[in-house]
Amino acid sequence: MDYKKIVAQRIKQLVDLDIVVIESLIEIPPKPEMGDFAFPCFQLSKTMKKAPNMIANDLKEKIEKEGFEKIECFGPYLNFFLDKGVFIKNTVEKILEEGDSYGSSKIGEGKNIVVEYSSPNIAKPFHVGHLFTTVIGSSLYKILSFEGYNCTGINHLGDWGTQFGKLIYAYKNWVDEQALAKEPIKELLRIYVKFHDEADIDPTLNEQAKMYFKNLEDGSTEEVRLWTKFRDISLIEFKKLYDTLNVKFDSYAGESFYCDKMDDVIQDIENKGLLVESNGAKVVMLDEYNMPPCIIKKSDGATIYATRDLAAATYRKKTYDFYKNIYVVGKDQSLHFNQVFTTLKLMGNDWADDCKHVAFGTVRFADKKLSTRKGDVIFLDELLNQAVAKTLEIINLKNPDLENKEEVAKKVGIGAIIFTYLKNGRERDIVFNWEEMLSFDGETGPYVQYTYARAKSILRKVEESSNKPADDLVLDYNKLNSKEEFELVKQLEGFQNSILHAIDKLEPSMVTRYAIEVAKAFNKFYNQHNIANLEDESNKQAKLKMVEATCQVIKNALNLIGIEVVDRM
Ligand code: ARG
């Protein structure tokens, strides 16, 4: 039940304003003493040629009051006080009835959205920045799908480019097959780094690497075989990580997928008269837009990153007929996407306006040991393992008898990392701090998960200690009349709104923040009210329903950001 809509409809019956306008005017009063919704009468004052205070007063007399405790005037405002009992009953029952789909809708029905995320580079370690795009993208995918959009998740693997010539050279000269079998990505990184060191001493290595890449582009068997091997072993590693994080993709079409699709795009750019020579390279000039040119072909004739993105966007439009095409990529690539989108627009593609770069900030570690590893690379499996191990230590202290501790530590530890990434606006930089992110209180993943487990334990305890309520017991929601209860249920009612905001801004953090607010509201309730000792059975059962609804909402919210709940911790 959307109360704002109800308020708007009641007002609509009395005034000559569009319902959409009325809805947009309705405010949430700053203090609970001023009710739950307020309608300002200034705008009506102009058309009705009456003082806004008088209009508010008139409306107050005439308006239909059913479902509201009272409707009052505060100067030029008409303020609505919900009938708390009815509101709580309706909200709680709706949540329990809809269960896992509470908060979802069909607003996206019939609209296709492409979400590109993760997109690590083959033969290179998956780093903390890639984890950032992975969790944001995966969450957006879930959020958009929940609201009915038809999403396609794409992993635009960095699996093409001159670096593969270097890697082939390095492989042929220095690989340690045993190490490769054991820790493939580490070994590939080692020889890749070695290539750069050696090429500093002997630059002719670069020429040989170029030759290998040329052979690869021409489809020469040996080079293609090696490239495929690098890609395969890297993917096996990446997929392990995706499994741990429960992240999925509908397509792994990476940069190499567009090799045979670039000529058409380049031809198109040329036909439109946009292709210009510049220092031997072929470019699209963007001075008019205050940007450096978008390079289409390098002086040696090789295509580059941007060319592949132009081909990829064109392919996605043709294949998925997208309503929005979203790229979850670090903000250091803003210029690149601006160049690509502007070029697409210049080519006459109106849909270029539907391409969105969803940018995010950088990640650092407060823990020096982690950030100064060889080559400044943090291995993600190490990061995740540490999170789980540290969580296990905390559980061993707090709840040593817990069953399946390892499994809980995994969900909570990995959840803590995901939560840290998604807690603030995505463009903000992150500094990881173990103590902070694993804390059970504060705005953390473990805090929200702990709140859920606590709520579950209330339900368990009451169920174990008391008799089943009679089937014909009527629950009395009017007894849930404390401030804490009303505030909690108001939060629960706002779930969908927070999801819609998250979609509007492409910001999963709005759902994360929402989960924190629900947890806070629940804990306020929990600290003030004891359910187990209540004598009045109909009050007690109503409160339990509210607790159950809280669990459901926390579960749904965490689910959308990729975190699983645990019943005990
Ligand atoms: N592979 C790139 C990197 O690791 C990110 C790819 C971003 N996506 C794109 N369509 N350009 O930096």
Side-chain angles (χ1 to χ4, degrees):
M1 197 149 308
D2 187 338
Y3 284 89
K4 195 169 166 184
K5 276 220 166 69
I6 295 176
V7 169
Q9 277 156 2
R10 297 277 169 90
I11 297 171
K12 171 75 195 154
Q13 287 168 358
L14 302 172
V15 306
D16 186 23
L17 266 185
D18 195 75
I19 186 97
V20 184
V21 177
I22 299 178
E23 258 190 78
S24 72
L25 288 173
I26 294 173
E27 299 171 14
I28 308 287
K31 291 190 209 129
E33 303 86 79
M34 301 173 76
D36 306 295
F37 297 99
F39 177 72
C41 299
F42 305 105
Q43 184 152 339
L44 280 175
S45 160
K46 282 177 223 149
T47 47
M48 294 171 77
K49 306 218 171 5
K50 239 188 191 177
N53 295 32
M54 279 173 69
I55 298 174
N57 222 355
D58 277 359
L59 290 177
K60 177 196 150 172
E61 296 304 321
K62 293 187 194 136
I63 202 155
E64 143 107 70
K65 300 183 180 62
E66 204 235 296
F68 292 93
E69 185 187 303
K70 56 184 176 182
I71 298 176
E72 287 189 348
C73 292
F74 287 84
Y77 286 89
L78 188 62
N79 289 31
F80 295 77
F81 294 74
L82 292 175
D83 181 324
K84 298 189 173 63
V86 175
F87 172 77
I88 290 176
K89 178 175 191 289
N90 287 346
T91 306
V92 168
E93 284 180 351
K94 180 179 158 83
I95 295 168
L96 295 179
E97 199 181 294
E98 296 184 5
D100 288 347
S101 54
Y102 174 70
S104 70
S105 74
K106 295 193 166 127
I107 57 161
E109 224 169 44
K111 292 194 178 110
N112 302 332
I113 297 195
V114 171
V115 190
E116 186 210 288
Y117 51 103
S118 202
S119 312
N121 300 318
I122 291 301
K124 296 230 187 102
F126 194 107
H127 59 68
V128 286
H130 289 123
L131 189 54
F132 209 163
T133 134
T134 306
V135 297
I136 294 175
S138 172
S139 173
L140 285 176
Y141 185 100
K142 289 184 173 134
I143 290 172
L144 289 163
S145 306
F146 201 54
E147 299 307 322
Y149 291 94
N150 176 33
C151 295
T152 304
I154 299 183
N155 193 334
H156 187 78
L157 293 171
D159 59 359
W160 205 248
T162 48
Q163 71 271 27
F164 289 98
K166 298 176 184 172
L167 200 60
I168 291 171
Y169 180 96
Y171 179 88
K172 283 178 181 282
N173 287 281
W174 307 306
V175 81
D176 171 349
E177 286 288 355
Q178 243 173 0
L180 188 70
K182 231 171 103 202
E183 292 187 300
I185 299 203
K186 281 187 189 168
E187 177 59 6
L188 291 177
L189 179 70
R190 182 189 72 82
I191 60 174
Y192 187 70
V193 170
K194 187 172 167 70
F195 178 91
H196 284 270
D197 293 344
E198 301 284 332
D200 279 345
I201 305 163
D202 176 7
T204 63
L205 260 58
N206 287 313
E207 295 310 311
Q208 302 200 48
K210 262 194 190 148
M211 179 198 76
Y212 285 129
F213 183 58
K214 178 96 185 53
N215 292 347
L216 177 61
E217 281 199 301
D218 294 343
S220 143
T221 325
E222 176 62 2
E223 281 79 2
V224 171
R225 184 185 71 83
L226 288 177
W227 172 82
T228 310
K229 177 176 171 129
F230 302 150
R231 193 179 189 275
D232 289 350
I233 55 183
S234 301
L235 265 183
I236 291 174
E237 292 300 299
F238 296 156
K239 282 184 177 164
K240 277 189 213 157
L241 200 68
Y242 297 140
D243 277 347
T244 313
L245 295 167
N246 199 9
V247 166
K248 298 199 169 52
F249 299 93
D250 300 301
S251 158
Y252 278 86
E255 293 188 45
S256 68
F257 181 75
Y258 301 100
C259 285
D260 60 355
K261 297 172 183 62
M262 282 183 286
D263 284 347
D264 284 354
V265 175
I266 299 173
Q267 192 59 54
D268 195 13
I269 298 175
E270 185 149 33
N271 293 346
K272 303 249 157 75
L274 296 167
L275 207 60
V276 185
E277 282 275 332
S278 166
N279 299 327
K282 297 243 164 68
V283 308
V284 173
M285 298 306 283
L286 301 171
D287 327 10
E288 237 182 277
Y289 307 89
N290 288 322
M291 282 187 274
C294 183
I295 302 175
I296 306 297
K297 258 188 177 179
K298 290 202 282 194
S299 49
D300 62 5
T303 58
I304 62 167
Y305 188 51
T307 331
R308 291 189 276 281
D309 261 326
L310 292 168
T314 310
Y315 174 84
R316 287 177 196 172
K317 184 65 197 176
K318 227 187 301 164
T319 313
Y320 305 112
D321 189 24
F322 56 70
Y323 157 76
K324 288 267 155 17
N325 176 26
I326 292 170
Y327 297 82
V328 185
V329 183
K331 66 179 171 199
D332 55 335
Q333 294 196 33
S334 289
L335 174 63
H336 164 76
F337 283 107
N338 232 328
Q339 290 174 306
V340 169
F341 299 162
T342 309
T343 303
L344 287 168
K345 191 80 196 258
L346 285 171
M347 290 165 70
N349 302 307
D350 283 340
W351 51 260
D353 294 334
D354 304 325
C355 296
K356 299 271 173 259
H357 176 207
V358 171
F360 55 83
T362 60
V363 188
R364 279 186 302 121
F365 281 80
D367 183 347
K368 292 251 168 33
K369 263 186 272 154
L370 262 176
S371 51
T372 53
R373 286 194 59 96
K374 238 200 310 193
D376 242 359
V377 173
I378 298 155
F379 289 100
L380 229 45
D381 40 356
E382 273 173 37
L383 177 71
L384 298 180
N385 288 342
Q386 271 211 45
V388 175
K390 283 178 190 287
T391 308
L392 193 57
E393 275 170 34
I394 299 174
I395 294 176
N396 275 330
L397 281 176
K398 286 194 184 256
N399 191 359
D401 300 329
L402 182 71
E403 270 175 46
N404 54 18
K405 273 189 265 191
E406 277 75 21
E407 203 189 311
V408 174
K410 211 170 139 194
K411 287 184 182 165
V412 176
I414 291 172
I417 293 194
I418 298 177
F419 202 91
T420 306
Y421 273 113
L422 299 181
K423 182 169 110 176
N424 294 311
R426 57 185 153 73
E427 299 213 22
R428 254 175 68 175
D429 294 342
I430 299 179
V431 181
F432 268 103
N433 177 331
W434 284 120
E435 216 172 304
E436 216 175 279
M437 65 199 242
L438 295 180
S439 162
F440 277 35
D441 35 52
E443 301 184 335
T444 65
Y447 167 71
V448 179
Q449 276 168 315
Y450 188 55
T451 304
Y452 177 90
R454 203 178 223 183
K456 277 279 170 185
S457 95
I458 298 176
L459 297 173
R460 266 194 316 267
K461 273 194 200 124
V462 175
E463 194 177 326
E464 282 160 13
S465 66
S466 46
N467 297 329
K468 238 178 121 50
D471 283 342
D472 55 358
L473 178 77
V474 178
L475 308 191
D476 193 349
Y477 287 96
N478 280 311
K479 297 226 168 91
L480 308 190
N481 53 10
S482 71
K483 182 166 171 277
E484 293 80 23
E485 284 158 324
F486 186 52
E487 290 303 314
L488 171 59
V489 178
K490 252 167 89 170
Q491 279 293 343
L492 301 182
E493 201 265 340
F495 183 37
Q496 186 168 66
N497 223 1
S498 85
I499 304 176
L500 297 181
H501 278 304
I503 290 181
D504 190 40
K505 300 265 182 291
L506 297 172
E507 265 294 3
S509 64
M510 293 186 163
V511 174
T512 318
R513 308 247 33 124
Y514 171 78
I516 296 173
E517 292 311 318
V518 171
K520 281 186 184 164
F522 177 79
N523 285 313
K524 273 194 194 140
F525 159 77
Y526 178 83
N527 292 333
Q528 294 290 329
H529 302 266
N530 188 327
I531 302 181
N533 295 344
L534 280 179
E535 296 284 331
D536 176 348
E537 193 62 22
S538 95
N539 179 7
K540 180 172 169 182
Q541 293 302 328
K543 280 186 170 45
L544 288 174
K545 290 281 179 214
M546 183 185 67
V547 174
E548 210 181 315
T550 307
C551 288
Q552 183 69 58
V553 175
I554 292 180
K555 179 178 170 210
N556 292 10
L558 288 185
N559 204 3
L560 291 180
I561 52 177
I563 299 178
E564 280 180 79
V565 288
V566 291
D567 282 2
R568 299 165 205 254
M569 69 185 262

